[in-house]
Every structure is written in structure tokens, then in C-alpha cells.
Amino acid sequence: MKEKLDKLKKVITEKNIKNFARYVTLAIVIIFLGLYIFKFKAYISFDENGVPDKKTVINAVITILLALMTGALALIKNNLSDKTNKILSYVLFFASPVICYYAFEYFQSSIYRVTISNIGKRYVFLNFVILSVILVIIVVISNSIKVSIIGMALIINFFGTVNYFVYSFRSVALVAADIFSVRTAASVAEDYPLFLDYHIFYMFILTLFIITGVCKLRSFKVIPTWKLRLPAVLVGILYTTLFLNLFVYSNYLGNNFWDVTIKLYRPHEAYRKYGTFLATVRTMNYIIIDKPEGYTVDKVEELAKSYDLSTEVGKTPNIIVIMNEAFSDLKSIHDFKTNEDYMPFIRSLEENTIKGTAYVSVYGGNTANTEFEFLTGNAMGLLPANSIPYQLFVKDKAPSIVYNLKSQGYTGNIGMHPFKANGFNRQMVYPLLGFEQFITIEEFQGAPRLKDKVTDEANFEKIIEKFEQSKSQSDAPFFLFNVTMQNHGGYSTKDPNMVEKITIEDEYYYNSALQTYLSFLKYTDEAVEMLIGYFEKLEEPTVIIFFGDHQPGLNESWYAKMFGKSEEKMTTEELMEKYKVPFFAWANYDIKEETVDKISMNYLSAFLMDKLDINLTKYQQFLLDVHQQVPVMNSLGYWGENGEFYDYSDIKSPYYEILNQYRWMQYNNMHDKKNRIDSIFYLD
């Protein structure tokens, strides 16, 4: 045994480890250059005359030079003295935030179409402060110059790569609240094809270059003795605490000289103006809930006094709610020619139907926020932008329409989603919202699929199955809430078993991903026809409520054609067009037909239950009053009944007071749980 250990020690020497690292680095560089040169032409942009774009050529040259310099560094032996090594280590230690910042922002600038020079000097300074905090934390933990520089390079460039992919897939940059949906993002990442382009090559080789260079230097401790370690740790904690208080927990940077304000539905605009790190860190401030202006429990009680619970028994039809993944009517933005209508049956619904346009608070993703607004009546516009309430705020029993219906004798009370249960933390949240069952992908084994997602037809057949099971056990009215999956993003991925029933016949608006998406909608339309065909034959009163959760995350250049301008040139009011979806409520019995021009998702459940003569809570009655004055509100802003569009921060708005009352109600509902007045939010 001892002989084997001695042999192993001879093999695992510092010299052999360095040689191994050198050869591995060289191999990586050679493979990298091979891949890059093989696709070199694809990374160069050309104008209509075939002239290469200067910036893309420079990017390509820089990337190749970095690769060659990395290979050269791997071969060079470090024969420098300890003193020179130490000097170089400290130079790199203090220079690394500067190097990482400018290298990183140069890379990001190609995403957000802005140059580094556009970022004000005072904002560059704040970005350096943020990087220094990262460096201090790593130093305090590792006490190593080498580890600190490598750690910073890995963290920064990993963030840059993830941000690039996220922005490419959903056209919205990363914000702090996205941390809480990382598990959900990972579960659906398979729908989006990962790709290698010069951005990714650049980030990779830059990271390898920094690591190779730093590893060539000898290791030195930042804090030489243990006696100095404790004071250094205390200074690090103090510095980090001061940073958090100024940058995150207060609005110090949002005032006066600094004026760092961010519209979180357009975070990339802030990235252009303030720099990536500053903009990202500042979004942390937006997930902190403050007590609304003037809020007291007494004021909430006073507001509720004007509403009474009905003493009469309301109607109790069976209710099936379907929130259809990415269902939207893009022709409502701007018409384009297709070979046939992609939702003919849904458009044909007139008799015993309430339908119209609903505005949601998300685009291209974060599905759970739409269902949160529908189920609870709470408004995302009054919550931190880009936050996910299911993951941040729903930790205890939470009022919802599920409890409202249960108190009126409904059975079933099923939540259904043919995908993984842990998406957006639903497996924990649904019971808190009152659901008694949660049906997930496990009950759809062997079901037909499109692009590896359970089809809407199979989904709706499961609804019929659960309805019949419930009716075989009880005559009580039935309730089910369904979130579909068929139309989920990743439309560039083709399914050989799918027939593209819709083709775009207008060359200017043609987009292959869009064509696939529209074909999905045609499949959905046919599935809806099947479902309604089943329930219209029943005598038992039944209502089917159907709406989309958001518009699909399609290519921004295509949307620019639809709007006639790029997103950065659009006003917030114009941008609202990307946040509208169709809805309908169809009944198999006589109800008054109606077409609703504009409503938002936070009102929709109360509005439809009122139209169906279902008893409402005091909170729902309050929502209907707010709706009269503020017909539409979402995460971007709101329309008043006067037709004007407003920002929530506009204190001169004639609707500022009514929305502040909404804030009081919502705060009492969601956040002041010890003092929540349950009689406002529940029927019993």
C-alpha cells in the first residue's frame, strides 16, 4: 500500500499537474479555434452589397487573438521572482474589476445595441463598486488573490452567458426576481435550442484567458496572518452591509444626483443607460414590499363597509377554466395573410358567449402571474415588477375564487397542468389557494403529444374524464382550473409528427417559428370545438372560461414589422399591444351575450362571476368598482375611464386615490396576514 502511495505521489507532482493543465488548455484552445474558424463566416454580418460589417469583423479578430494569446500563455513558463509575481498578482487583483467590467460590457453592448460610452461616468463608478463587493466577498472567504480573480471572472462571465440566452429566448433581460424562478426555467429550457455564436465563444475564451493568465502566477495570501483575518472579515461585512443598504434596501440611488430608475418590463433600457451590473442589482429593490401610503387596517375596514354579502343563493353552474399556454390573436395587432383562419371556431362563438380582449402582465413567459391575477383578483401592477407571487408571497392560506366556489358547494376543485408539478412552486401553492387535487404530467402517460407536450385535445379529454368521475359521485357543481402546455415556446423546434395546417402567405411577415405557432393555435381551436361539442349536449348548466396567459416570445424583428417600429421607439401605451390576449366565457344555457373591448386579468374572474350571477366576496365587489374607473391595469400601467394611459407613479392621475385604496386592500390580503380581515376576502 505504501509503495502504491509513493508511486502516486511521484505521479501527482506540481510539475505534472502544471503540464497536464498546460496540455488541456492547449487542447481546448485548438478545439475552440477549429469550431470558431469552421463557422467563421456565420459570425460576420454583410450588407446588401456583400461588404462585411466592421464591428463583427473586429469581434471575430478579438476572439481569435484571445484564443491565440491563451494558447501562448499556456506554453510560457513563469520564471519570475517572488517579488515580481506578487506585484503582478496585486496589479491583476485591483485591475480585474476594470478588465472584467469593460470586457463584459463590450459583450453586452452587442445585445442591447449600445456602446460603453453611452453609460454615464457616475454609473460606471457604481458598477465598479458592485464588482468590488463581489471581489471583497470572495477575498474574505478564500484569502487568495488567485481564487478571487478566477472567482470574479467565472461569476461575471457565467452571468453574461445566462443573460444572453435568456434575452435571446424571451427578449427581456435578467432581473433579480428571476432567481426565484430558476427551477421552472430549468424545467422548460429543453424547449429552447441552445446555440453557439460569437457572443458565447467570446465569453468562453475571455474566461479561459483570464484563468490561464492568473494560474501562471504563484499563489499569495491577501491577508498574511490570522491576527489580521478577523478585522478583515469585519471590514468586509461592514462594506457589504453598507452596499446593501445603499444599493438594495433603500431608494438612495433613485433620488437626486444618481437618478437610477428602472422600468422592469423593459429592463434592457436600464442596462443600456446604467450598465448591466448596476441595473441588475437595482432590480433587487423592486422585490421588497413596503406598506402602501396611508395604509391602516381601519381604513380597509371602512372601505369594506360599503359592500354586503348577498343573502340570496347565487347560481352555481359547473365551471371549467382553461388558461391556454401562449394563446393569442396576433392579427389583432396587425393583419397578415394566412392560407386559412387559425381559430375559426373560437371566432364563431356568439350565442350564450361573453368574449373580448384581456390584458395580462407578462409577455413570452412567467405564466403563473396571469393565473395568479385571475384566481386571486390581486394586481401585478401593484406588486414588484417581474416578481413571481407564487414563489415570493404565497406562503400561507391565500384567498382565491377556489375558496369562494367551495363555500358555495362546488366539488372537484381541481388544478390541472400536464407538466411537472414543481413549476412555479404550484405543488405548494395550489393547496394554499384551496385546490383539493392537483393533476400533473403523471396522469398523462401515453397521451398524444406535439413537440413533446401533451396536446390540448388530450388535455381536454382529461377534463371530460374528471368531470364524469365527479358527477358519478356527486350532483354538486364542478370546478376545474386547467393550465395547458401544447403551445409552449420553442417554436423553431420542429415535430415530424405535426402537420403545419397554417401557412403565412405574406412574404414580408413570414416567420417560420410564427407559422409553427399558428398551426398550434389551429390544433387548439379544433380541441376547443370538441370540448364545447361535448358540453353543449348536457342539460346541466356548465360554463367554459377560456383565455391565453401571454403572447408568444417571437423574434423582436418580426414584432418590429408588425408595429412598424422597434420596441425601444414604442411608447408604453403602444407596448400594451404585446400584452393582450383573447378570452371567452361560453355557457350551454342562456346568458346575455356581450363583447368586452378591454379588461385586465385581475378583474376577469370577478367580472365573469358577476355576469353569471355567482355570489361575490366583498373584495370582488370592490374590484368591480375599481374596474369602472380603471378598466385596464397591468404591470406596465393603466387606462382610466377617460381613455388616458397612466403610470402608477403619476400622483396627478385622477385615479391615483382609487388605486391607492386597491393597494390597501391588496396589502391587507397578501402581506398583512396577521391583520387580514377575512370577511372581505372569503364568503364564510
Side-chain angles (χ1 to χ4, degrees):
M1 185 68 180
K2 186 179 178 182
E3 290 179 0
K4 289 182 178 180
L5 287 173
D6 289 339
K7 287 182 180 179
L8 188 63
K9 287 178 181 178
K10 288 180 180 179
V11 174
I12 306 176
T13 62
E14 184 178 350
K15 182 179 179 181
N16 287 341
I17 291 172
K18 286 181 178 180
N19 284 333
F20 177 75
R22 182 182 296 119
Y23 297 138
V24 168
T25 304
L26 280 173
I28 292 172
V29 169
I30 291 168
I31 293 169
F32 172 89
L33 283 171
L35 288 171
Y36 194 82
I37 293 170
F38 178 72
K39 297 191 69 176
F40 180 79
K41 193 172 181 180
Y43 304 143
I44 306 296
S45 299
F46 297 87
D47 64 17
E48 56 188 15
N49 298 317
V51 178
D53 175 69
K54 184 178 178 181
K55 184 173 181 180
T56 57
V57 172
I58 292 172
N59 288 339
V61 171
I62 289 174
T63 305
I64 292 173
L65 284 176
L66 275 172
L68 293 173
M69 289 166 65
T70 303
L73 270 176
L75 293 173
I76 295 172
K77 292 185 177 181
N78 180 4
N79 296 319
L80 301 173
S81 66
D82 284 350
K83 183 178 180 180
T84 305
N85 268 277
K86 185 172 286 189
I87 291 171
L88 284 175
S89 293
Y90 276 104
V91 167
L92 278 176
F93 178 78
F94 289 108
S96 61
V98 179
I99 295 169
C100 286
Y101 174 75
Y102 280 105
F104 180 85
E105 288 295 0
Y106 177 79
F107 166 73
Q108 297 293 308
S109 66
S110 60
I111 305 175
Y112 309 123
R113 298 183 296 279
V114 69
T115 59
I116 299 172
S117 59
N118 292 124
I119 303 171
K121 291 180 180 178
R122 65 183 186 274
Y123 302 132
V124 171
F125 167 75
L126 294 178
N127 278 276
F128 284 153
V129 170
I130 294 167
L131 295 182
S132 72
V133 172
I134 297 173
L135 200 57
V136 165
I137 291 172
I138 301 174
V139 164
V140 167
I141 294 171
S142 69
N143 194 25
S144 168
I145 290 177
K146 186 179 289 188
V147 171
S148 301
I149 298 171
I150 293 173
M152 169 167 278
L154 289 173
I155 290 170
I156 290 173
N157 292 328
F158 176 76
F159 169 74
T161 303
V162 171
N163 186 40
Y164 178 61
F165 278 125
V166 169
Y167 187 80
S168 299
F169 295 147
R170 72 179 192 186
S171 301
V172 178
L174 278 172
V175 294
D178 289 325
I179 295 169
F180 299 96
S181 56
V182 65
R183 287 178 62 190
T184 301
S187 70
V188 299
E190 60 196 42
D191 297 319
Y192 299 95
L194 295 179
F195 53 85
L196 291 175
D197 63 11
Y198 77 88
H199 299 93
I200 304 303
F201 276 118
Y202 170 80
M203 293 299 287
F204 173 80
I205 201 64
L206 175 64
T207 306
L208 186 62
F209 174 72
I210 292 172
I211 292 173
T212 303
V214 172
C215 286
K216 282 292 173 179
L217 298 172
R218 299 190 188 106
S219 298
F220 296 98
K221 291 182 178 180
V222 181
I223 307 159
T225 66
W226 280 101
K227 290 182 180 180
L228 296 174
R229 191 79 189 271
L230 181 58
V233 169
L234 292 175
V235 169
I237 292 172
L238 180 63
Y239 184 55
T240 305
T241 303
L242 181 63
F243 160 76
L244 290 172
N245 277 294
L246 292 178
F247 281 65
V248 179
Y249 297 121
S250 74
N251 197 36
Y252 176 76
L253 295 183
N255 300 321
N256 307 319
F257 173 75
W258 299 108
D259 190 30
V260 182
T261 55
I262 299 173
K263 293 179 179 179
L264 283 186
Y265 55 88
R266 279 174 160 175
H268 39 283
E269 290 186 354
Y271 280 48
R272 296 185 185 113
K273 183 177 180 181
Y274 308 121
T276 305
F277 303 107
L278 177 58
T280 304
V281 168
R282 280 298 292 161
T283 63
M284 295 179 183
N285 181 261
Y286 292 84
I287 60 176
I288 299 170
I289 301 294
D290 293 321
K291 188 181 293 186
E293 175 189 345
Y295 169 82
T296 66
V297 177
D298 290 341
K299 287 182 179 179
V300 174
E301 286 182 323
E302 189 64 31
L303 276 175
K305 284 181 181 179
S306 57
Y307 304 102
D308 294 312
L309 297 179
S310 176
T311 57
E312 298 180 4
V313 177
K315 292 183 179 179
T316 55
N318 300 310
I319 298 177
I320 294 166
V321 180
I322 299 169
M323 186 175 78
N324 195 264
E325 173 65 37
F327 189 87
S328 66
D329 185 6
L330 296 176
K331 283 192 177 184
S332 68
I333 299 175
H334 184 83
D335 197 15
F336 53 92
K337 191 176 180 182
T338 54
N339 63 317
E340 62 176 291
D341 191 359
Y342 43 83
M343 54 175 77
F345 178 77
I346 291 174
R347 290 193 211 278
S348 72
L349 292 173
E350 297 288 347
E351 188 178 3
N352 300 322
T353 302
I354 301 168
K355 62 182 181 178
T357 299
Y359 286 79
V360 298
S361 290
V362 293
Y363 160 76
N366 286 348
T367 293
N369 286 2
T370 300
E371 66 184 86
F372 168 79
E373 288 191 305
F374 180 85
L375 291 170
T376 67
N378 296 320
M380 289 303 305
L382 306 181
L383 290 171
N386 288 59
S387 60
I388 313 289
Y390 278 9
Q391 294 165 319
L392 290 174
F393 309 126
V394 183
K395 305 297 182 184
D396 304 290
K397 180 181 177 181
S400 73
I401 63 168
V402 188
Y403 287 112
N404 183 354
L405 296 174
K406 285 170 71 173
S407 66
Q408 297 178 70
Y410 277 76
T411 190
N413 303 310
I414 297 169
M416 187 165 78
H417 181 45
F419 200 58
K420 299 172 184 177
N422 62 0
F424 293 110
N425 203 31
R426 286 190 183 95
Q427 83 281 15
M428 301 296 292
V429 169
Y430 271 16
L432 299 175
L433 292 174
F435 288 108
E436 295 171 2
Q437 299 180 60
F438 183 25
I439 297 169
T440 59
I441 192 64
E442 284 74 16
E443 287 207 31
F444 288 88
Q445 300 302 316
R449 299 186 178 221
L450 285 174
K451 200 169 59 62
D452 201 36
K453 297 293 181 290
V454 173
T455 65
D456 282 353
E457 182 178 8
N459 192 336
F460 298 165
E461 286 173 350
K462 182 68 71 174
I463 290 176
I464 294 171
E465 176 188 323
K466 293 301 174 183
F467 173 80
E468 291 178 343
Q469 285 179 4
S470 178
K471 289 301 172 181
S472 69
Q473 299 168 10
S474 170
D475 292 330
F478 174 80
F479 172 64
L480 179 144
F481 179 80
N482 174 217
V483 180
T484 70
M485 273 302 288
Q486 173 190 286
N487 303 332
H488 196 276
Y491 310 111
S492 59
T493 302
K494 303 298 181 182
D495 185 339
N497 299 316
M498 176 184 171
V499 177
E500 287 206 345
K501 301 181 178 184
I502 303 297
T503 56
I504 300 170
E505 297 183 340
D506 190 327
E507 185 178 346
Y508 180 72
Y509 293 108
Y510 176 79
N511 180 287
S512 61
L514 170 65
Q515 189 163 276
T516 300
Y517 167 73
L518 295 178
S519 295
F520 281 144
L521 296 190
K522 187 67 166 64
Y523 280 98
T524 297
D525 188 74
E526 292 168 356
V528 170
E529 185 174 11
M530 179 275 294
L531 183 68
I532 286 181
Y534 171 86
F535 281 101
E536 68 182 353
K537 297 173 185 176
L538 298 182
E539 293 184 2
E540 192 170 345
T542 302
V543 175
I544 294 175
I545 298 171
F546 183 100
F547 55 88
D549 58 348
H550 53 70
Q551 290 187 22
L554 296 169
N555 188 284
E556 282 304 304
S557 62
W558 181 82
Y559 270 107
K561 291 179 181 179
M562 291 286 283
F563 286 107
K565 62 178 75 173
S566 60
E567 184 178 306
E568 56 257 36
K569 294 180 180 178
M570 293 168 63
T571 66
T572 306
E573 185 173 6
E574 289 173 330
L575 195 62
M576 288 285 281
E577 290 291 290
K578 291 178 70 173
Y579 290 78
K580 65 180 185 180
V581 295
F583 80 89
F584 70 80
W586 170 88
N588 66 351
Y589 62 97
D590 287 338
I591 63 171
K592 185 178 179 180
E593 293 86 3
E594 185 175 348
T595 298
V596 181
D597 181 43
K598 288 179 180 178
I599 193 171
S600 48
M601 198 54 60
N602 56 308
Y603 302 128
L604 188 60
S605 57
F607 176 84
L608 293 176
M609 288 173 71
D610 183 54
K611 296 292 182 181
L612 296 170
D613 293 324
I614 297 170
N615 286 342
L616 304 179
T617 64
K618 291 183 177 182
Y619 186 45
Q620 289 177 308
Q621 295 173 53
F622 168 78
L623 292 177
L624 295 180
D625 281 351
V626 179
H627 177 241
Q628 292 298 313
Q629 297 186 53
V630 183
V632 170
M633 58 185 296
N634 71 354
S635 56
L636 277 66
Y638 62 93
W639 272 296
E641 62 179 336
N642 62 2
E644 297 293 319
F645 189 79
Y646 297 90
D647 187 88
Y648 291 103
S649 62
D650 186 355
I651 60 175
K652 294 181 180 179
S653 163
Y655 311 103
Y656 186 81
E657 183 57 34
I658 186 69
L659 287 182
N660 206 40
Q661 291 175 359
Y662 196 167
R663 286 187 179 92
W664 297 345
M665 281 282 201
Q666 184 164 303
Y667 186 81
N668 185 261
N669 181 347
M670 292 183 62
H671 307 293
D672 193 7
K673 294 172 185 175
K674 290 183 180 179
N675 298 305
R676 183 166 64 201
I677 307 167
D678 285 343
S679 60
I680 297 174
F681 307 104
Y682 297 98
L683 284 178
D684 55 12

